[in-house]
Amino acid sequence: MKKVQGITAIIGMFLLIIAILITSFQVAIYGDPEYKFYEKEYEKYQVTESLQMEMEDVMDVTEKMMDYLIGKRPELSVETTVNGEKQDFFNEQDRLHMADVKNLFLGGLALRWWLLGIFALLMLVLIFPLKADWKRVLPRAYFISLGIFLVLTVFLGVLFASDFTKYFTIFHEIFFTNDLWLFDPSTDLMIRMLPEGFFYDMVMRIGLYFLGGLAIFAAAFALIGRCGRKKK
């Protein structure tokens, strides 16, 4: 019975950790409604010079693009001024690729709620039919799952740090069934607005939020475990 309790708890905690990771993506990408992080990145990589646009116009494009990705705009089309001329910032390739990105992002957010639902169900099964000592079982399961996940995360982190371009390419090949993500900076404005360095910095930002979330849950489960031991 204890083995079943342990496996059930570990599976539940692993699902919780994945849900925290997905939430970290959402917070890192949308946590700042004024998109100050994006503005700083544009300044860092001299995006306005590359695009020959004013920062105000670049931020307007950014806000509308982010609204599209979260489902607040029906289509990706933004009239703006580039090099003194009015034009649509996005071309057809941009729209097709970003439609894939939108589906992936919204699918991830939907998956997060499924994971949390299954996690809650497993916790109910663990506490009631299996009658587990949850103050002892849950903290142990969390730290085991955390250890497994962090080993995988460190492995992936080392890979990306060793050659970000290579593994960034592999990531796209896994999650996209076409080559629409391959852009030409000489003709595609979007890739000039979002250079590779921007994505590297965003990955680091997501990682910090993720570690922060894990730390909060680690502290909470450590406290629960301590209370459980004192009660005994």
Side-chain angles (χ1 to χ4, degrees), residues 24 27 46 68-69 80 86 88 103 111 116 123 140 147 149 154-155 158 162 194 198 209 221-222 231:
S24 300
V27 173
Q46 300 178 324
Y68 169 78
L69 289 177
T80 191
K86 281 282 187 181
D88 193 326
N103 291 334
L111 174 63
L116 290 175
M123 294 304 100
R140 183 171 182 272
F149 198 92
V154 168
F155 175 72
V158 169
S162 65
L194 303 172
F198 168 87
Y209 279 111
F221 280 116
K231 192 173 181 180

Side-chain angles (χ1 to χ4, degrees), residues 170-181:
I170 291 174
F171 167 83
H172 280 81
E173 290 174 346
I174 292 172
F175 286 98
F176 298 100
T177 58
N178 52 56
D179 60 359
L180 293 172
W181 58 274

Side-chain angles (χ1 to χ4, degrees), residues 42 47-48 50-54 57-65 76-83 85-95 98 183 187-195:
Y42 297 154
V47 165
T48 54
S50 175
L51 292 172
Q52 295 182 303
M53 293 174 63
E54 297 295 326
D57 292 328
V58 177
M59 292 307 298
D60 179 63
V61 170
T62 300
E63 290 176 17
K64 290 174 179 174
M65 177 182 70
L76 189 63
S77 180
V78 182
E79 283 288 321
T80 191
T81 303
V82 180
N83 195 21
E85 296 182 2
K86 281 282 187 181
Q87 67 173 79
D88 193 326
F89 185 87
F90 300 99
N91 59 34
E92 190 60 23
Q93 181 181 350
D94 296 336
R95 279 185 273 273
M98 294 304 277
F183 293 95
T187 57
D188 295 304
L189 297 175
M190 189 172 72
I191 198 59
R192 278 189 262 165
M193 185 175 77
L194 303 172

Side-chain angles (χ1 to χ4, degrees), residues 118-138:
I118 297 171
F119 164 77
L121 181 61
L122 289 175
M123 294 304 100
L124 289 174
V125 169
L126 187 68
I127 293 170
F128 294 106
L130 296 180
K131 300 183 187 300
D133 180 1
W134 62 273
K135 289 185 178 180
R136 178 185 61 82
V137 174
L138 295 188

